[in-house]
Amino acid sequence: MSDASVQKSPLSLAEEAMLATWAKENTFKKSVTGRKDAPLFSFYDGPPFANGLPHYGHLATSVLKDGVARYKTMRGYHVPRRFGWDCHGLPAEMLAEKELNVSGKKAIQKYGIDNFNQYCRESVMRFTSDWHDYVERLGRWVDFEDDYRTMDQDYMESVMWAFKQLYDKGLIYEGERVVPYSYGAQTALSNFETRADDSYRDREDITATVKFKLEDGRYILGWTTTPWTLPSNLLLAVGSDIDYVEVEDDGVKYILAEAALERYPELDDAEVVRRVKGNKLVGLSYAPLFDYFKDTHNAFRIVAADFVTTEDGTGVVHIAPGHGEDDYWLGKREGLPAISPVDDDGRFTNQVSDYAGRLVFDANNEIVADLEKSKKLFKSALFTHKYPHCWRTDVPIIYRAMSAWFVDVPKIKKDLLAANQNINWIPNNVKNGAVGKWLEGAREWNISRKRFWGSPIPVWKTEDGELIVPGSLAEIRKMAVDPNKVTDLHRPFIDEVVLKTADGRLAHRVEDVLDCWFESGSMPFAQMHYPFENKKRFEQGFPADFITEFIGQTRGWFYTLHVMQVALFGREAFKNCVAHGILLGEDGRKLSKRLKNYPDVNLAINKYGVDSLRVYMLGMSVMSGDTSAFDEKTLTEVQRNVIQRLRNVYSFFTMYADVDKWVPGKALAAPKSKNVLDEWMLARLQRAINETTQYADAYDMPKAMKVLADLLDDTSNWFVRRSRRRFWKSEDDGDKADAYATLHYTLVRLTQLLAPWAPFVTDELWRSLTKGMGLPKSVHLSDWPEIKELGKAQAKALDDMHQVREIITEGLSQRASAKVKVRQPLAKVTVPKVGGQFTDILAEELNVKKVAFKTGSVVLDTTLTDDLKAEGAMRDIVRHVQNLRKTSGLNVDDRIVLHLESADALMQRAVSEFGDVIAQETLAVELSGVPQEHAATAKIDGVEVSISLSKNK
């Protein structure tokens, strides 16, 4: 699908025409406002960034969001669908830095924060029209007119209110912590922004096994993959219950975990002097590796820590409290400072004079070399490991002690876990798996960013450290020295607002802005400017009935929504959440434009149509949380077996209905018929209605799509195929009318069942099928088919037909084994007892003259007589005549003059004995001895038959 010249298919062109119809008739708005008094179905739509074009990964999420919203609308709910935009944060700032060629905080400040933020403001909405076109072409209905933007003043004020609420509850504080830091973006990140699914990369680093010298001259061996943190070493940690050994090699004594000995062949010949538990090593002192912080009180000793293992290294962990989360808390326990001699650019400060100005990762080799020179290095080696990288700049993360503002998430962990149990997660194992485990280990959330484009942290400080935390613009204006300066909550304008306390002291705002995830987590209420406006409206729709994004958002948007709403309102943010899986390219790798491992979205739409893409993606196991690879072959099959099959059944119906001038009645009700095919079809349809509703209510889209695909297959390849003669026959009897009514009703209900998932083709067919019936103009304005428990008669119809079809499958298998083609009539089949009303079906499907009933298995008589062979030849002749009718451009009801000629005796006998049947089947008014206008030569069992025909005048 790399050819950009792929022409738009008829399916795609028909969809574009339907888009124009919806726009002209305002169908989307009518679908929402028409049910404004109905029960509310609340749906939160995760806002995208608009400073980049949508990509293929949005497709799965979009079709699920739209499908559920359309379905719930048809089920009788009022479903508002408000679109929103993420505007703040690193994505916008990184793009601005690149385009302005302004890199780093100092350069931005020199350029002007006002100029920089103005550029961000303009750039974030650059691609809104492209997003609009993309979303619209997918058939996704959302409200772009009443959209919200996180950079709007109203939204930001609600975010400010939320900060104030959390602060007043004692859930927000300022403190020093070791946090993941991106020197590429020059800001700290949240711990969940270094999640393993998209930020860890393979990285080769030099490892160091270092000799720490004890006071008695022995050495304890410590191991690290980050030698750059060794200048900041203050402690060594061991496991209290781990077995350690003291070994002697060439007169030098080393201590390490016994389990680690096998990793050090250099000590194979060393003698084990003694064994001790780790707790016996606690309290020993050692000499500092470097002199930089040698005077640190209470440092350079061995302590116990429960995070120490023997899985790698020496079983002795080097501790730098300023450069590791576990290190920090251990240092705090031991009363040590979090020393971090690294600047905002990720370079050593003058505190570490020998390496000052060096990027810390670049200093690894030099530090290891210096340790070797000073005889403090036992061993070094290259080591490939997974290491977190900045999700926006792709630089490796530094863990660094910094002052920041935090949400004390562990304080509400019990509430978070309890509220999580109220959520219906799809797949269900996410609840106590990915989500539950993440909540169990919840840490403080760093919500401050030392950046520029974002909602301000609404904290002002006086010189003596008193904090003022306003929760609204009104509060700021009330306390402002100059209320006229309160015009824009963005920097630098808000920075210029000075507040004063009741006793006249001045307070200046802290410079940090909020993590944009704090804004995203505020979306449920901030989009409505709650609590300043729409209080009742928000409360009516909270928690949301439904949200969905890919499973990675369990540590992103889903997580921040959950934390914010539980912290603010004491309950979960949403009731049902589909955390769908990850979509891979056709080669099983991550979707990549560079690798070209997936079809271009626009070309796929042009070739297959959106309906095919939607049904294909909704039917993928990715909708059940699995990781799935895009498969164009399967997409092709969905187009053929669902979308095109529906069109084919519709075309068959209209072709004969137009000929017979059949029109439906005014009411949309299941017809009454005594024909076993009709009874079965109507029962089969009702079962599908019940099952589709059941699975759609449970957000199990793959099963819902399977039900509908199977229903279409049964409608086309069983009901229509078995009923063809009922439509063909010339007499206009009650059975023919029943066939029309049954197929029409089935098609109408099929368009409704498929409407949320394949909205284009279904609306096109609905409009034609229901014309003049007084029903809603669009299928999307109609009510979902009613669930009805199957009655005994319906259940029996399904069971009987199932048994009949199993008998047919077995009989056809026996034909295949005997190598007798299906068009060749046979004398007899003996089958288990089923209703006599199925005799004709069994006879025709198995192509036998007689059906005998007897308890036992299916037995097919495959003996061929000359009479049977002649009839079989006749069937082949009819097939070839019908093909010639089609290729000659005749209408389905055109009568013909037919000429048949062959030198073969069997073919001559077939024409002679079965001429009337041939004429009836092919609508021939005459079997002529003279060749006709349209001619073809057919080969039947190796024998030539000349066929020609012309339209009867």
Side-chain angles (χ1 to χ4, degrees), residues 853-886:
F853 296 103
K854 186 178 181 182
T855 303
S857 58
V858 177
V859 179
L860 184 69
D861 183 356
T862 57
T863 305
L864 289 176
T865 64
D866 289 344
D867 287 344
L868 290 172
K869 289 178 182 179
E871 188 173 350
M874 175 271 291
R875 297 285 179 89
D876 280 322
I877 291 170
V878 168
R879 179 172 64 90
H880 286 289
V881 173
Q882 299 290 37
N883 289 339
L884 182 56
R885 279 182 62 99
K886 288 181 182 178

mmCIF file of all heavy atoms in Angstrom, residues 853-886:
data_model
loop_
_atom_site.group_PDB
_atom_site.id
_atom_site.type_symbol
_atom_site.label_atom_id
_atom_site.label_comp_id
_atom_site.label_asym_id
_atom_site.label_seq_id
_atom_site.Cartn_x
_atom_site.Cartn_y
_atom_site.Cartn_z
ATOM 1 N N PHE A 853 -35.338 -41.487 6.708
ATOM 2 C CA PHE A 853 -35.046 -41.210 8.117
ATOM 3 C C PHE A 853 -34.886 -42.514 8.885
ATOM 4 O O PHE A 853 -35.696 -43.437 8.766
ATOM 5 C CB PHE A 853 -36.181 -40.388 8.737
ATOM 6 C CG PHE A 853 -36.334 -39.032 8.122
ATOM 7 C CD1 PHE A 853 -37.357 -38.757 7.215
ATOM 8 C CD2 PHE A 853 -35.435 -38.005 8.432
ATOM 9 C CE1 PHE A 853 -37.493 -37.501 6.653
ATOM 10 C CE2 PHE A 853 -35.575 -36.750 7.869
ATOM 11 C CZ PHE A 853 -36.597 -36.495 6.972
ATOM 12 N N LYS A 854 -33.803 -42.588 9.643
ATOM 13 C CA LYS A 854 -33.528 -43.777 10.433
ATOM 14 C C LYS A 854 -32.575 -43.400 11.562
ATOM 15 O O LYS A 854 -31.635 -42.647 11.358
ATOM 16 C CB LYS A 854 -32.913 -44.869 9.552
ATOM 17 C CG LYS A 854 -32.723 -46.197 10.262
ATOM 18 C CD LYS A 854 -32.158 -47.228 9.305
ATOM 19 C CE LYS A 854 -31.985 -48.570 10.012
ATOM 20 N NZ LYS A 854 -31.384 -49.584 9.086
ATOM 21 N N THR A 855 -32.837 -43.940 12.694
ATOM 22 C CA THR A 855 -31.935 -43.645 13.814
ATOM 23 C C THR A 855 -30.530 -44.136 13.485
ATOM 24 O O THR A 855 -30.356 -45.260 13.014
ATOM 25 C CB THR A 855 -32.428 -44.326 15.097
ATOM 26 O OG1 THR A 855 -33.747 -43.899 15.370
ATOM 27 C CG2 THR A 855 -31.525 -43.987 16.290
ATOM 28 N N GLY A 856 -29.589 -43.320 13.775
ATOM 29 C CA GLY A 856 -28.205 -43.704 13.487
ATOM 30 C C GLY A 856 -27.452 -42.575 12.809
ATOM 31 O O GLY A 856 -27.817 -41.396 12.921
ATOM 32 N N SER A 857 -26.422 -42.919 12.074
ATOM 33 C CA SER A 857 -25.563 -41.925 11.445
ATOM 34 C C SER A 857 -26.046 -41.604 10.042
ATOM 35 O O SER A 857 -26.955 -42.248 9.499
ATOM 36 C CB SER A 857 -24.118 -42.421 11.407
ATOM 37 O OG SER A 857 -24.045 -43.643 10.702
ATOM 38 N N VAL A 858 -25.386 -40.578 9.433
ATOM 39 C CA VAL A 858 -25.703 -40.176 8.058
ATOM 40 C C VAL A 858 -25.030 -41.153 7.095
ATOM 41 O O VAL A 858 -23.829 -41.432 7.193
ATOM 42 C CB VAL A 858 -25.200 -38.741 7.791
ATOM 43 C CG1 VAL A 858 -25.477 -38.346 6.333
ATOM 44 C CG2 VAL A 858 -25.837 -37.769 8.759
ATOM 45 N N VAL A 859 -25.823 -41.678 6.143
ATOM 46 C CA VAL A 859 -25.276 -42.598 5.131
ATOM 47 C C VAL A 859 -25.682 -42.079 3.753
ATOM 48 O O VAL A 859 -26.871 -42.009 3.429
ATOM 49 C CB VAL A 859 -25.775 -44.043 5.325
ATOM 50 C CG1 VAL A 859 -25.196 -44.941 4.230
ATOM 51 C CG2 VAL A 859 -25.407 -44.559 6.709
ATOM 52 N N LEU A 860 -24.706 -41.724 2.919
ATOM 53 C CA LEU A 860 -24.967 -41.196 1.578
ATOM 54 C C LEU A 860 -24.671 -42.264 0.540
ATOM 55 O O LEU A 860 -23.572 -42.828 0.505
ATOM 56 C CB LEU A 860 -24.072 -39.966 1.329
ATOM 57 C CG LEU A 860 -24.287 -39.223 0.013
ATOM 58 C CD1 LEU A 860 -25.644 -38.513 0.027
ATOM 59 C CD2 LEU A 860 -23.176 -38.201 -0.199
ATOM 60 N N ASP A 861 -25.679 -42.552 -0.295
ATOM 61 C CA ASP A 861 -25.503 -43.520 -1.390
ATOM 62 C C ASP A 861 -24.820 -42.799 -2.555
ATOM 63 O O ASP A 861 -25.417 -41.929 -3.181
ATOM 64 C CB ASP A 861 -26.868 -44.060 -1.805
ATOM 65 C CG ASP A 861 -26.747 -45.126 -2.902
ATOM 66 O OD1 ASP A 861 -25.620 -45.367 -3.381
ATOM 67 O OD2 ASP A 861 -27.791 -45.695 -3.270
ATOM 68 N N THR A 862 -23.587 -43.181 -2.869
ATOM 69 C CA THR A 862 -22.819 -42.476 -3.899
ATOM 70 C C THR A 862 -22.779 -43.241 -5.224
ATOM 71 O O THR A 862 -21.980 -42.921 -6.111
ATOM 72 C CB THR A 862 -21.382 -42.222 -3.408
ATOM 73 O OG1 THR A 862 -20.765 -43.465 -3.056
ATOM 74 C CG2 THR A 862 -21.380 -41.281 -2.209
ATOM 75 N N THR A 863 -23.667 -44.246 -5.373
ATOM 76 C CA THR A 863 -23.719 -45.001 -6.632
ATOM 77 C C THR A 863 -24.302 -44.122 -7.739
ATOM 78 O O THR A 863 -25.347 -43.475 -7.558
ATOM 79 C CB THR A 863 -24.587 -46.264 -6.469
ATOM 80 O OG1 THR A 863 -24.078 -47.022 -5.369
ATOM 81 C CG2 THR A 863 -24.573 -47.090 -7.743
ATOM 82 N N LEU A 864 -23.648 -44.087 -8.922
ATOM 83 C CA LEU A 864 -24.090 -43.253 -10.034
ATOM 84 C C LEU A 864 -24.675 -44.114 -11.153
ATOM 85 O O LEU A 864 -24.028 -45.026 -11.672
ATOM 86 C CB LEU A 864 -22.926 -42.421 -10.590
ATOM 87 C CG LEU A 864 -22.422 -41.271 -9.712
ATOM 88 C CD1 LEU A 864 -21.212 -40.605 -10.360
ATOM 89 C CD2 LEU A 864 -23.531 -40.256 -9.497
ATOM 90 N N THR A 865 -25.938 -43.809 -11.543
ATOM 91 C CA THR A 865 -26.567 -44.446 -12.702
ATOM 92 C C THR A 865 -26.460 -43.501 -13.891
ATOM 93 O O THR A 865 -26.115 -42.324 -13.743
ATOM 94 C CB THR A 865 -28.045 -44.739 -12.415
ATOM 95 O OG1 THR A 865 -28.718 -43.490 -12.224
ATOM 96 C CG2 THR A 865 -28.205 -45.611 -11.170
ATOM 97 N N ASP A 866 -26.783 -44.012 -15.111
ATOM 98 C CA ASP A 866 -26.749 -43.148 -16.299
ATOM 99 C C ASP A 866 -27.745 -42.002 -16.177
ATOM 100 O O ASP A 866 -27.468 -40.870 -16.615
ATOM 101 C CB ASP A 866 -27.058 -43.980 -17.554
ATOM 102 C CG ASP A 866 -25.912 -44.916 -17.913
ATOM 103 O OD1 ASP A 866 -24.794 -44.681 -17.384
ATOM 104 O OD2 ASP A 866 -26.118 -45.858 -18.697
ATOM 105 N N ASP A 867 -28.921 -42.283 -15.580
ATOM 106 C CA ASP A 867 -29.921 -41.227 -15.401
ATOM 107 C C ASP A 867 -29.387 -40.116 -14.496
ATOM 108 O O ASP A 867 -29.577 -38.930 -14.767
ATOM 109 C CB ASP A 867 -31.201 -41.816 -14.796
ATOM 110 C CG ASP A 867 -31.984 -42.653 -15.804
ATOM 111 O OD1 ASP A 867 -31.697 -42.512 -17.022
ATOM 112 O OD2 ASP A 867 -32.861 -43.420 -15.381
ATOM 113 N N LEU A 868 -28.722 -40.520 -13.431
ATOM 114 C CA LEU A 868 -28.164 -39.519 -12.506
ATOM 115 C C LEU A 868 -27.061 -38.712 -13.173
ATOM 116 O O LEU A 868 -26.943 -37.503 -12.968
ATOM 117 C CB LEU A 868 -27.621 -40.204 -11.239
ATOM 118 C CG LEU A 868 -28.671 -40.809 -10.296
ATOM 119 C CD1 LEU A 868 -27.995 -41.621 -9.190
ATOM 120 C CD2 LEU A 868 -29.533 -39.701 -9.681
ATOM 121 N N LYS A 869 -26.245 -39.391 -13.995
ATOM 122 C CA LYS A 869 -25.172 -38.685 -14.694
ATOM 123 C C LYS A 869 -25.747 -37.641 -15.661
ATOM 124 O O LYS A 869 -25.229 -36.537 -15.786
ATOM 125 C CB LYS A 869 -24.302 -39.674 -15.459
ATOM 126 C CG LYS A 869 -23.425 -40.544 -14.565
ATOM 127 C CD LYS A 869 -22.611 -41.548 -15.402
ATOM 128 C CE LYS A 869 -21.763 -42.449 -14.519
ATOM 129 N NZ LYS A 869 -20.999 -43.435 -15.338
ATOM 130 N N ALA A 870 -26.835 -38.001 -16.340
ATOM 131 C CA ALA A 870 -27.455 -37.064 -17.281
ATOM 132 C C ALA A 870 -28.009 -35.851 -16.544
ATOM 133 O O ALA A 870 -27.882 -34.707 -16.994
ATOM 134 C CB ALA A 870 -28.568 -37.771 -18.065
ATOM 135 N N GLU A 871 -28.628 -36.087 -15.404
ATOM 136 C CA GLU A 871 -29.156 -34.969 -14.624
ATOM 137 C C GLU A 871 -28.024 -34.081 -14.104
ATOM 138 O O GLU A 871 -28.135 -32.860 -14.057
ATOM 139 C CB GLU A 871 -30.001 -35.484 -13.451
ATOM 140 C CG GLU A 871 -30.728 -34.365 -12.719
ATOM 141 C CD GLU A 871 -31.696 -34.877 -11.664
ATOM 142 O OE1 GLU A 871 -31.954 -36.100 -11.625
ATOM 143 O OE2 GLU A 871 -32.171 -34.034 -10.868
ATOM 144 N N GLY A 872 -26.904 -34.724 -13.720
ATOM 145 C CA GLY A 872 -25.751 -33.949 -13.277
ATOM 146 C C GLY A 872 -25.213 -33.068 -14.386
ATOM 147 O O GLY A 872 -24.833 -31.903 -14.152
ATOM 148 N N ALA A 873 -25.188 -33.623 -15.617
ATOM 149 C CA ALA A 873 -24.749 -32.830 -16.760
ATOM 150 C C ALA A 873 -25.678 -31.656 -16.992
ATOM 151 O O ALA A 873 -25.251 -30.544 -17.321
ATOM 152 C CB ALA A 873 -24.675 -33.721 -18.007
ATOM 153 N N MET A 874 -26.969 -31.875 -16.794
ATOM 154 C CA MET A 874 -27.944 -30.802 -16.944
ATOM 155 C C MET A 874 -27.654 -29.665 -15.960
ATOM 156 O O MET A 874 -27.707 -28.478 -16.314
ATOM 157 C CB MET A 874 -29.357 -31.355 -16.714
ATOM 158 C CG MET A 874 -30.465 -30.302 -16.724
ATOM 159 S SD MET A 874 -30.809 -29.549 -15.097
ATOM 160 C CE MET A 874 -31.530 -30.937 -14.233
ATOM 161 N N ARG A 875 -27.329 -30.007 -14.714
ATOM 162 C CA ARG A 875 -27.031 -28.986 -13.705
ATOM 163 C C ARG A 875 -25.830 -28.133 -14.132
ATOM 164 O O ARG A 875 -25.803 -26.910 -13.942
ATOM 165 C CB ARG A 875 -26.739 -29.653 -12.359
ATOM 166 C CG ARG A 875 -27.917 -30.434 -11.780
ATOM 167 C CD ARG A 875 -28.990 -29.506 -11.215
ATOM 168 N NE ARG A 875 -30.122 -30.238 -10.693
ATOM 169 C CZ ARG A 875 -30.230 -30.684 -9.441
ATOM 170 N NH1 ARG A 875 -29.251 -30.467 -8.600
ATOM 171 N NH2 ARG A 875 -31.304 -31.329 -9.053
ATOM 172 N N ASP A 876 -24.833 -28.782 -14.693
ATOM 173 C CA ASP A 876 -23.646 -28.053 -15.163
ATOM 174 C C ASP A 876 -24.003 -27.130 -16.321
ATOM 175 O O ASP A 876 -23.501 -25.995 -16.414
ATOM 176 C CB ASP A 876 -22.548 -29.028 -15.582
ATOM 177 C CG ASP A 876 -21.769 -29.564 -14.393
ATOM 178 O OD1 ASP A 876 -21.532 -28.780 -13.453
ATOM 179 O OD2 ASP A 876 -21.391 -30.748 -14.396
ATOM 180 N N ILE A 877 -24.862 -27.627 -17.206
ATOM 181 C CA ILE A 877 -25.287 -26.800 -18.342
ATOM 182 C C ILE A 877 -26.007 -25.549 -17.856
ATOM 183 O O ILE A 877 -25.748 -24.440 -18.331
ATOM 184 C CB ILE A 877 -26.194 -27.626 -19.298
ATOM 185 C CG1 ILE A 877 -25.366 -28.700 -20.005
ATOM 186 C CG2 ILE A 877 -26.872 -26.715 -20.319
ATOM 187 C CD1 ILE A 877 -26.208 -29.711 -20.787
ATOM 188 N N VAL A 878 -26.909 -25.719 -16.883
ATOM 189 C CA VAL A 878 -27.641 -24.574 -16.330
ATOM 190 C C VAL A 878 -26.661 -23.544 -15.759
ATOM 191 O O VAL A 878 -26.799 -22.340 -15.966
ATOM 192 C CB VAL A 878 -28.632 -25.038 -15.246
ATOM 193 C CG1 VAL A 878 -29.175 -23.847 -14.461
ATOM 194 C CG2 VAL A 878 -29.782 -25.832 -15.880
ATOM 195 N N ARG A 879 -25.657 -24.008 -15.042
ATOM 196 C CA ARG A 879 -24.683 -23.091 -14.436
ATOM 197 C C ARG A 879 -23.972 -22.274 -15.506
ATOM 198 O O ARG A 879 -23.797 -21.058 -15.365
ATOM 199 C CB ARG A 879 -23.667 -23.882 -13.615
ATOM 200 C CG ARG A 879 -22.603 -23.024 -12.952
ATOM 201 C CD ARG A 879 -21.761 -23.852 -12.006
ATOM 202 N NE ARG A 879 -21.017 -24.881 -12.701
ATOM 203 C CZ ARG A 879 -19.779 -24.711 -13.189
ATOM 204 N NH1 ARG A 879 -19.191 -23.526 -13.080
ATOM 205 N NH2 ARG A 879 -19.146 -25.698 -13.791
ATOM 206 N N HIS A 880 -23.565 -22.912 -16.569
ATOM 207 C CA HIS A 880 -22.850 -22.204 -17.634
ATOM 208 C C HIS A 880 -23.776 -21.239 -18.391
ATOM 209 O O HIS A 880 -23.334 -20.157 -18.812
ATOM 210 C CB HIS A 880 -22.221 -23.208 -18.609
ATOM 211 C CG HIS A 880 -21.007 -23.896 -18.048
ATOM 212 N ND1 HIS A 880 -19.818 -23.242 -17.859
ATOM 213 C CD2 HIS A 880 -20.819 -25.183 -17.629
ATOM 214 C CE1 HIS A 880 -18.924 -24.092 -17.352
ATOM 215 N NE2 HIS A 880 -19.512 -25.282 -17.205
ATOM 216 N N VAL A 881 -25.040 -21.607 -18.547
ATOM 217 C CA VAL A 881 -25.994 -20.693 -19.189
ATOM 218 C C VAL A 881 -26.171 -19.445 -18.316
ATOM 219 O O VAL A 881 -26.193 -18.313 -18.823
ATOM 220 C CB VAL A 881 -27.349 -21.387 -19.433
ATOM 221 C CG1 VAL A 881 -28.386 -20.374 -19.928
ATOM 222 C CG2 VAL A 881 -27.204 -22.526 -20.440
ATOM 223 N N GLN A 882 -26.297 -19.646 -17.008
ATOM 224 C CA GLN A 882 -26.475 -18.504 -16.110
ATOM 225 C C GLN A 882 -25.259 -17.570 -16.164
ATOM 226 O O GLN A 882 -25.400 -16.340 -16.128
ATOM 227 C CB GLN A 882 -26.688 -18.984 -14.659
ATOM 228 C CG GLN A 882 -27.929 -19.874 -14.467
ATOM 229 C CD GLN A 882 -29.232 -19.107 -14.605
ATOM 230 O OE1 GLN A 882 -29.344 -18.211 -15.431
ATOM 231 N NE2 GLN A 882 -30.238 -19.504 -13.815
ATOM 232 N N ASN A 883 -24.082 -18.146 -16.258
ATOM 233 C CA ASN A 883 -22.875 -17.322 -16.381
ATOM 234 C C ASN A 883 -22.895 -16.504 -17.665
ATOM 235 O O ASN A 883 -22.508 -15.323 -17.675
ATOM 236 C CB ASN A 883 -21.616 -18.193 -16.337
ATOM 237 C CG ASN A 883 -21.344 -18.761 -14.964
ATOM 238 O OD1 ASN A 883 -21.827 -18.233 -13.964
ATOM 239 N ND2 ASN A 883 -20.570 -19.841 -14.894
ATOM 240 N N LEU A 884 -23.348 -17.124 -18.751
ATOM 241 C CA LEU A 884 -23.404 -16.419 -20.030
ATOM 242 C C LEU A 884 -24.457 -15.309 -19.982
ATOM 243 O O LEU A 884 -24.262 -14.244 -20.573
ATOM 244 C CB LEU A 884 -23.711 -17.403 -21.166
ATOM 245 C CG LEU A 884 -23.741 -16.804 -22.587
ATOM 246 C CD1 LEU A 884 -22.430 -16.082 -22.914
ATOM 247 C CD2 LEU A 884 -24.036 -17.894 -23.621
ATOM 248 N N ARG A 885 -25.556 -15.533 -19.269
ATOM 249 C CA ARG A 885 -26.559 -14.480 -19.094
ATOM 250 C C ARG A 885 -25.921 -13.245 -18.454
ATOM 251 O O ARG A 885 -26.128 -12.119 -18.890
ATOM 252 C CB ARG A 885 -27.697 -14.977 -18.183
ATOM 253 C CG ARG A 885 -28.750 -15.842 -18.849
ATOM 254 C CD ARG A 885 -29.823 -16.208 -17.816
ATOM 255 N NE ARG A 885 -30.496 -15.002 -17.331
ATOM 256 C CZ ARG A 885 -31.688 -14.577 -17.777
ATOM 257 N NH1 ARG A 885 -32.326 -15.253 -18.706
ATOM 258 N NH2 ARG A 885 -32.224 -13.488 -17.290
ATOM 259 N N LYS A 886 -25.130 -13.479 -17.407
ATOM 260 C CA LYS A 886 -24.502 -12.357 -16.701
ATOM 261 C C LYS A 886 -23.532 -11.615 -17.593
ATOM 262 O O LYS A 886 -23.548 -10.381 -17.672
ATOM 263 C CB LYS A 886 -23.770 -12.874 -15.449
ATOM 264 C CG LYS A 886 -24.680 -13.323 -14.324
ATOM 265 C CD LYS A 886 -23.864 -13.787 -13.124
ATOM 266 C CE LYS A 886 -24.765 -14.284 -12.002
ATOM 267 N NZ LYS A 886 -23.970 -14.784 -10.845
#
